[in-house]
Amino acid sequence: IDHELRLIEQLGFPGYFLIVWDIVEFCRRNDIYCQGRGSAANSAVCYALGITNADAVGLGLLFERFLSPERDGPPDIDVDIENGRREEAIQYVYGRYGRENAAQVANVITYRPKSAVRDMGKALGHPPGALDAWSKQIEGWVLRELPPDTGIPEPVLRMARQVEGFPRHLGIHSGGMVICDRPVVEVCPVEWGRMEGRTVLQWDKDDCAAVGLVKIDLLGLGMLTALHLCVDLVRRHHGVDVDLATIPQEPEVYDMLSAADSVGVFQVESRAQMATLPRLRPRTFYDLVVEVALIRPGPIQGGSVHPYIRRRNGQEPVTYLHPLLEPALEKTLGVPLFQEQLMQMAIDVADFTPGEADQLRQAMGSKRSHERMEALRVRLYSGMAAKGITGEVADRIYDKLAAFADFGFPESHSVSFAYLVYASAWLKLHYPAAFCASLLNAQPMGFYSPNTLVADARRHGVVVLGPDVNHSEAKATLEPLPPQDLRAPHPSAGGSNAQESEEGPAVRLGLEYVRNVGDDLAARIAARRPYASRDALVRRTGAPLPAVEALATAGAFASLDASGSAAKKLSRREALWGAGVVSQAGPDQLEGVVCGADAPTLPSMSDIEVTAADLWATGVSPDRHPIQYARDALGARGALPIGDLGGVAAGRRVLVGGLVTHRQRPSTAGGTIFLNLEDETGMLNVICSPGVWTRYRRVARAAPALLVRGGLERADIPFGPGGGGAMSLVADRIEALSLSVTAGRSRDFR
């Protein structure tokens, strides 16, 4: 602490720390979740001030990664704030320091391949339909990698290649704010932002740093929103106050993560992370720190991922390029993973000062510092030579340093994220219903769609109920489980991993999820209930015809009685039949005078029609998965449920059908494309080689559901309810899977 305080005072930055502390304190006073991350977590002062949750001293983090005398400019503290309330913190800064003295940093938006083709095609007079078709052909980030059969005219491509990478327009930086001791306009031109109450610089973050402007990053993080909502739901419905800072370390949480049961869990829910978790098998908090950093460009390009996992599992001895590297690399088993280790390696093998080591990191990570890098390279080699490190060993050490400087992940950053990984996993394990509802309410965020999140919750035994005008809030909520005979059948048949224990409350979808029902209308409907009839709802809320039709299609009128009879509930078809008449009701009409809303005797929707209606109206099927309706046909062709693949030997060729939840874009450097398939029992990674992708590209890119045959790759692990999330299928044949669950308009369900 004394060392850091002396350096902070020497460099003249006490005010900067106090400004950040003031913003964090504002968030705490107003019950806004926030945390400092990035290199600030290397500072014991930041930990003592409560800006970060990472104990830099206990974790042995290098303060000079954050602040050193040799660094040019002020420190960089990033504050993650829950996404839904970040604007409150921004407006607090404007209010406290004055609208004239604070502004947000601009972002220079440059031409990417799709925007370049669109704008150049538009400039040459091509129709919008052609622009849409051409942009869909572009999968990578570089136009020169386009295949020859895209159909894009050569003049358009030639001009697009010329402007690729050029500035297109200015946007607002995701979180950067500048605070000055004088009016900002005296330093840099400013303009009013489109959003009320915002002032925006006309410079980007690099320009601001070049002139010494103090920048603080206030970043929105959706997981903090989800965690806050989840903690509130647990308090309200379980009577438990969860303090995320003190939740216990439990082996069951690590068991769940080791089984790749991580849908919705922060940072470790992607395809690559789910494939790595069973092989890493985290057992301690520091394992999560490593997991967060492992699947990053630095470790991947530096060839560190597989060696670390093999050493972690005792399949390879722990070795070091030189004995002097052991102190820096001991905790990562001799494999460099973090930027701080890069700095420590330079200190240990070449007697760099901490400040020089940070200069080396910055120079290696900069594409515009050849002279600076060359000088430090000479300094590094001479320092290594003085310690007897020469020849091939010195070259290999330098190559390792160079690989990590550009893409390496700061250990301090990974520590901050690992806290959120464990917190979200703990809540998912102990309160799956509250966790699912909070993820739905925090959308858009994360890797998966709401329908996938709901399907995963059902596999964990959570009952999910559709929207209802007399029971739903605007957002998703929890409510007591309905009697068993009133619930839809549990849709997990066929999956060996399904959990049938239905404990705890049910999730009720919010009205905001219904098509054509915006936030304001959803709030009015929830605030003015209960409703005895549809026309009463329309009179009180002013719901228009498209909203009434969508509510009827979603089954949101199910709690209303038909024809005044409490014994007969309103079916979806009956509600749709009278939607046009009911929507004409107004506040100037008496209740009960709407005529023609009663429907004749109509057949009920079949299960498949109900699922199609749910997907059209809300994007979520609360009780069934579309692939269920194709299961008999899939079984007849020999296709296995994803949940049953856990018992299949590695290398065996299998046939699997499912919805496509993700298509990785762009491809890997070798041209490999990854897909994610989902059925009612779990999820599966599909690996498409360049040859397979070229052969089946048009089908795989367009079809919502696919039938894939290939060889199974799997780890020797127990799989969680996510099914095959940690398994991969190396595809050799792909075809479209035809599903009967289709949806077009609300009138299609009458």
Side-chain angles (χ1 to χ4, degrees):
I1 288 283
D2 290 339
H3 164 66
E4 292 189 15
L5 288 175
R6 278 195 302 271
L7 188 55
I8 292 169
E9 183 70 29
Q10 173 189 334
L11 297 177
F13 294 137
Y16 180 88
F17 282 80
L18 292 176
I19 288 172
V20 177
W21 170 83
D22 179 53
I23 296 170
V24 171
E25 280 301 301
F26 164 80
C27 293
R28 291 205 178 109
R29 289 195 304 270
N30 290 274
D31 194 27
I32 302 173
Y33 279 20
C34 72
Q35 72 162 17
R37 67 165 164 94
S39 60
N42 290 69
S43 168
V45 168
C46 287
Y47 179 64
L49 289 173
I51 295 172
T52 69
N53 294 320
D55 180 359
V57 177
L59 293 166
L61 303 178
L62 271 174
F63 176 65
E64 284 74 13
R65 169 64 182 85
F66 171 57
L67 187 63
S68 68
E70 293 83 358
R71 286 196 71 165
D72 183 18
D76 185 18
I77 299 180
D78 298 337
V79 181
D80 285 327
I81 302 171
E82 56 177 289
N83 207 30
R85 303 187 66 184
R86 183 173 73 106
E87 187 62 24
E88 294 178 45
I90 290 173
Q91 292 304 321
Y92 171 75
V93 173
Y94 279 129
R96 182 166 180 81
Y97 301 101
R99 186 77 178 275
E100 298 79 13
N101 292 51
Q104 290 178 268
V105 178
N107 230 5
V108 179
I109 310 300
T110 58
Y111 273 108
R112 296 290 179 85
K114 286 192 176 186
S115 59
V117 167
R118 276 186 167 276
D119 278 12
M120 296 307 102
K122 184 177 180 181
L124 293 175
H126 293 283
L131 305 181
D132 291 340
W134 295 339
S135 66
K136 290 177 182 177
Q137 298 291 318
I138 301 171
E139 297 178 355
W141 293 100
V142 182
L143 284 171
R144 66 173 177 269
E145 296 176 356
L146 283 178
D149 60 344
T150 58
I152 304 174
E154 179 56 33
V156 174
L157 273 179
R158 185 174 64 253
M159 292 179 63
R161 290 190 179 107
Q162 290 175 0
V163 302
E164 187 177 5
F166 278 29
R168 185 177 187 272
H169 63 274
L170 288 180
I172 299 181
H173 187 269
S174 57
M177 289 199 74
V178 162
I179 301 172
C180 288
D181 60 353
R182 69 199 70 185
V184 181
V185 73
E186 294 181 9
V187 183
C188 169
V190 299
E191 59 183 278
W192 298 117
R194 287 189 179 182
M195 184 179 292
E196 185 179 354
R198 288 194 176 195
T199 307
V200 186
L201 299 174
Q202 294 186 14
W203 291 353
D204 65 9
K205 61 184 182 66
D206 294 329
D207 296 328
C208 293
V211 299
L213 288 175
V214 174
K215 179 176 70 73
I216 299 171
D217 283 333
L218 305 179
L219 303 168
L221 189 62
M223 182 49 70
L224 285 176
T225 300
L227 291 176
H228 197 169
L229 294 172
C230 189
V231 168
D232 289 345
L233 286 172
V234 170
R235 181 187 302 114
R236 187 179 310 127
H237 294 277
H238 295 273
V240 177
D241 278 315
V242 176
D243 183 355
L244 297 181
T246 61
I247 54 177
Q249 294 283 307
E250 298 174 352
E252 293 81 6
V253 175
Y254 293 104
D255 290 342
M256 182 183 79
L257 292 174
S258 296
D261 185 7
S262 60
V263 172
V265 177
F266 184 64
Q267 286 283 304
V268 295
E269 62 174 352
S270 71
R271 180 205 63 80
Q273 292 282 11
M274 291 178 77
T276 306
L277 280 168
R279 293 164 176 84
L280 182 66
R281 301 181 185 179
R283 303 311 306 168
T284 65
F285 177 78
Y286 195 76
D287 289 338
L288 297 183
V289 177
V290 170
E291 177 68 35
V292 169
L294 201 59
I295 306 302
R296 303 282 174 177
I300 292 172
Q301 293 186 12
S304 297
V305 177
H306 296 299
Y308 180 85
I309 292 175
R310 287 195 296 268
R311 295 180 184 194
R312 173 72 169 72
N313 294 328
Q315 299 167 341
E316 178 181 302
V318 177
T319 59
Y320 303 92
L321 290 175
H322 192 276
L324 288 175
L325 293 176
E326 185 170 352
L329 302 180
E330 183 179 13
K331 60 184 176 182
T332 54
L333 309 179
V335 178
L337 294 178
F338 303 110
Q339 286 185 0
E340 289 87 346
Q341 289 178 307
L342 174 154
M343 296 170 60
Q344 190 64 53
M345 288 165 66
I347 293 170
D348 293 341
V349 302
D351 278 336
F352 270 47
T353 67
E356 286 178 317
D358 189 54
Q359 283 185 301
L360 177 67
R361 178 194 63 80
Q362 293 181 62
M364 284 182 162
S366 174
K367 296 179 175 61
R368 306 172 187 168
S369 59
H370 178 74
E371 299 83 1
R372 186 173 162 209
M373 183 62 236
E374 190 58 31
L376 287 167
R377 182 177 182 276
V378 172
R379 165 75 177 87
L380 181 70
Y381 270 90
S382 64
M384 287 194 289
K387 294 204 169 190
I389 304 172
T390 57
E392 183 184 353
V393 174
D395 291 338
R396 290 175 65 188
I397 291 175
Y398 179 81
D399 290 341
K400 286 288 184 184
L401 294 175
F404 273 80
D406 213 0
F407 297 105
F409 205 59
E411 184 179 12
S412 51
H413 195 125
S414 193
V415 168
S416 297
F417 273 3
Y419 281 105
L420 302 185
V421 173
Y422 186 83
S424 55
W426 189 89
L427 288 168
K428 175 183 172 73
L429 176 68
H430 292 286
Y431 302 101
F435 187 67
C436 175
S438 65
L439 289 178
L440 293 176
N441 291 338
Q443 292 298 307
M445 62 160 285
F447 198 73
Y448 296 103
S449 69
N451 194 46
T452 296
L453 296 174
V454 166
D456 179 73
R458 291 202 312 269
R459 289 191 290 269
H460 287 78
V462 175
V463 175
V464 183
L465 306 173
D468 190 286
V469 295
N470 279 325
H471 298 291
S472 292
E473 300 288 348
K475 301 283 188 181
T477 54
L478 302 183
E479 61 182 59
L481 285 173
Q484 186 69 42
D485 56 351
L486 296 181
R487 302 184 213 166
H490 198 279
S492 55
S496 60
N497 294 313
Q499 292 183 356
E500 298 296 342
S501 61
E502 296 176 350
E503 300 177 358
V507 175
R508 171 74 72 175
L509 291 183
L511 295 168
E512 286 182 1
Y513 266 85
V514 180
R515 181 191 292 251
N516 300 324
V517 178
D519 297 353
D520 293 340
L521 178 56
R524 288 201 302 275
I525 294 174
R528 298 172 186 179
R529 64 187 186 191
Y531 305 100
S533 62
R534 289 164 291 164
D535 58 302
L537 180 145
V538 173
R539 276 199 318 277
R540 293 183 210 167
T541 65
L545 174 60
V548 175
E549 287 189 331
L551 287 166
T553 306
F557 294 127
S559 60
L560 305 182
D561 57 273
S563 305
S565 171
K568 186 175 184 299
K569 295 302 179 183
L570 197 64
S571 72
R572 299 194 193 206
R573 280 209 169 96
E574 290 171 330
L576 271 169
W577 177 278
V581 175
V582 167
S583 64
Q584 298 175 17
D588 55 342
Q589 292 180 323
L590 294 175
E591 186 172 352
V593 300
V594 174
C595 298
D598 295 338
T601 302
L602 297 171
S604 298
M605 287 186 183
S606 65
D607 287 346
I608 194 169
E609 289 173 327
V610 168
T611 299
D614 284 333
L615 291 173
W616 177 87
T618 65
V620 173
S621 176
D623 49 21
R624 294 172 180 86
H625 195 283
I627 296 297
Q628 283 182 259
Y629 302 108
R631 181 53 59 198
D632 290 342
L634 288 171
R637 295 193 57 176
L640 295 176
I642 292 172
D644 289 350
L645 296 179
V648 177
R652 178 181 161 188
R653 293 181 75 248
V654 294
L655 183 67
V656 177
L659 292 178
V660 182
T661 64
H662 290 88
R663 295 175 176 88
Q664 174 184 312
R665 294 181 181 176
S667 64
T668 65
T672 301
I673 293 285
F674 299 98
L675 307 174
N676 265 37
L677 290 188
E678 178 190 72
D679 68 7
E680 73 275 24
T681 66
M683 291 184 295
L684 178 69
N685 306 315
V686 176
I687 302 173
C688 301
S689 66
V692 168
W693 182 252
T694 300
R695 193 176 312 124
Y696 300 107
R697 180 177 51 150
R698 297 190 184 278
V699 171
R701 194 166 52 197
L706 296 174
L707 195 62
V708 182
R709 184 181 297 278
L712 188 66
E713 290 184 351
R714 59 184 300 272
D716 186 19
I717 58 162
F719 293 106
M727 291 185 289
S728 295
L729 190 68
V730 182
D732 53 45
R733 182 178 177 83
I734 301 174
E735 60 184 277
L737 175 60
S738 177
L739 292 178
S740 301
V741 182
T742 59
R745 303 169 302 167
S746 60
R747 292 175 177 82
D748 296 339
F749 303 104
R750 292 184 176 177

